[in-house]
Structures are given as structure tokens and as C-alpha cells.
Amino acid sequence: MTKHNRHHANPNHTDKDPDVGEGILVWTMEQAEGRKGLEGWLTRNQARIFFPLLTLEGFNLKVSSVRFLLANRRTQGLELGLMAAHLVLYFGALFLLLSPGQAIVFALVHHMVFGLHLGSVFAPNHKGMEMPEEGNDWGHLEKQVLTSRNVRGGLVTDWMMGGLNYQIEHHLFPSMPRANLRFAQPIVQRYCADVGLPYLSTGLIDSYRMGLRHMHEVGQELRNEKSFTN
């Protein structure tokens, strides 16, 4: 929740939004600069390996949750107990109903598909959009609208993306029930048109294309250096 709140307060701001901080993937030329070895290879190829990497996100979330709770066990004892109960029940049910080999394969596939689905929902929202710098004078409206993109697609897309395809409205009104975001969308879009603020809404494939193009461009300088060295 802390990480999510920081993201909502300053979306796509490299110094304040943890979602675009430097890590396995990078989002700006400055973050990519000087990366070598494995990190350099990841940056040069990050657009190509993005979706395969998402298959690891389900495991990453589990590990991150456990590490956070263990580091805060004095204040998060109840949640730590619930997480332990979840893991015991989850793996207990698998090994009760399936053979050991089948249980392990099920858990692997389950978390890989979960990570891919979750990452595919989050990826279109901000990647490839405006990235504000320190000292910009954007207000709340500009900060949330210019860094976000909506994804069109109707009821199926709404269901598969949990309503987060209305990312602009979600950022403007984070406490609004997601089922109501689609009703707010035309109102927000009309208002942005009235005040002359760009409001981006694309198809799902186009949203992925924009995000991957941005990631590819970020790694361009390292690819040029690699080609020159070779």
C-alpha cells in the first residue's frame, strides 16, 4: 500500500514513483547509462524479454510480501500468520489432491500465468507516457492525466483488466469503486477536451506497442555501444 500510494502521488516521476525506479528494468536514458554485464544485457533487450519476465512476477510478489512481513513482524504479526496459513493451505491442498510432481507443476504454471496476467494489466497504464522531472509545475489534473493512458475494448477488457483500463479516472479518483470508473470516463474526457488537456485512450495492442517502443528506445544507446565495441 505504501508503494502504491507513492506511485499515485507522483506517477512516472523517477525520483518519487517506485514503479519507475531503476531495477531489473529501466525507464530513462539516465537509468540505462553505464549498465554493464547482466544488467547491460537486460537493458539492451528489455523490450524483447518484458513479457517473459512477467512470468516471474507472481513469485516476486509472494517473496516480497513474506520479506516485508518478516521485517515488520512486531507490527504485522496477524498478516504474517495469515500468509503462513495461506501457504500451508495452498500447498497442502495441492499435495493432497495431486502427485508431488503434478503439484509442483501446477504451482509453477499457476504463478507464471498469474504474473503474466497481472503484469499485462499494469503494463499499458503508464509505460511510454510523460515522465515529469523535478521542478515541473503540473497540478493534480496534469500530473494524473498526462502520465496515464486508458485502454479501450468494452466489457471483456473491463473484466480482464479489473476496471484498471480506465487508468486516468482511477488516478484522478483512486477511492472510486472500479465498477463506476467507466461512467466517469466520458465526463473526464469531455472536461479534458474543454480545458485543452491531452487525453489518451488506445486499444490494448497499441498500448503494449507504445510501452515496448519506449523500453526499446531506452536501451538504444547501450545497443549502439555494444555494436561499436564488436
Side-chain angles (χ1 to χ4, degrees):
M1 285 301 299
T2 300
K3 179 176 180 290
H4 187 66
N5 290 341
R6 289 170 59 200
H7 160 69
H8 265 263
N10 292 282
N12 263 18
H13 193 298
T14 54
D15 294 330
K16 300 177 180 179
D17 181 359
D19 286 354
V20 290
E22 184 176 347
I24 293 178
L25 303 175
V26 294
W27 311 104
T28 67
M29 298 287 190
E30 291 75 16
Q31 290 176 341
E33 187 176 355
R35 286 169 69 99
K36 300 183 183 300
L38 177 59
E39 288 185 342
W41 183 89
L42 289 169
T43 301
R44 291 193 299 273
N45 298 280
Q46 60 182 10
R48 297 186 182 94
I49 64 174
F50 177 70
F51 282 104
L53 280 176
L54 290 181
T55 61
L56 303 176
E57 181 61 15
F59 304 103
N60 177 54
L61 289 173
K62 280 285 197 304
V63 172
S64 297
S65 298
V66 172
R67 289 177 62 186
F68 173 81
L69 293 174
L70 288 175
N72 298 274
R73 64 181 70 190
R74 291 184 178 180
T75 58
Q76 304 292 337
L78 176 59
E79 286 197 54
L80 185 60
L82 291 172
M83 177 65 79
H86 159 74
L87 293 173
V88 169
L89 290 172
Y90 176 81
F91 285 104
L94 288 185
F95 283 99
L96 179 65
L97 298 173
L98 303 171
S99 69
Q102 289 174 330
I104 292 172
V105 170
F106 182 95
L108 289 174
V109 173
H110 173 203
H111 284 78
M112 290 171 68
V113 173
F114 168 66
L116 182 62
H117 178 212
L118 197 64
S120 297
V121 169
F122 293 155
N125 300 338
H126 303 282
K127 303 302 181 277
M129 297 300 293
E130 293 282 351
M131 301 189 71
E133 299 178 353
E134 196 67 41
N136 76 78
D137 58 353
W138 289 359
H140 179 72
L141 182 66
E142 292 85 359
K143 188 185 296 185
Q144 306 301 336
V145 174
L146 295 177
T147 61
S148 305
R149 110 170 33 90
N150 279 12
V151 177
R152 301 187 301 267
L155 293 177
V156 173
T157 302
D158 288 1
W159 185 77
M160 290 296 294
M161 300 189 73
L164 292 180
N165 48 313
Y166 301 103
Q167 188 68 195
I168 294 174
E169 288 71 32
H170 170 62
H171 262 259
L172 287 172
F173 312 106
S175 62
M176 179 180 289
R178 281 178 289 174
N180 293 338
L181 293 174
R182 65 190 183 98
F183 301 114
Q185 188 271 333
I187 301 171
V188 173
Q189 188 172 22
R190 284 196 300 270
Y191 181 79
C192 288
D194 290 342
V195 299
L197 190 67
Y199 178 105
L200 183 60
S201 181
T202 72
L204 183 62
I205 301 303
D206 282 339
S207 72
Y208 291 143
R209 185 180 294 117
M210 293 173 68
L212 292 175
R213 184 185 301 121
H214 173 75
M215 296 172 68
H216 187 70
E217 290 172 352
V218 167
Q220 184 63 53
E221 187 170 336
L222 288 186
R223 288 194 300 275
N224 292 340
E225 290 177 2
K226 185 69 174 178
S227 299
F228 180 77
T229 301
N230 292 339

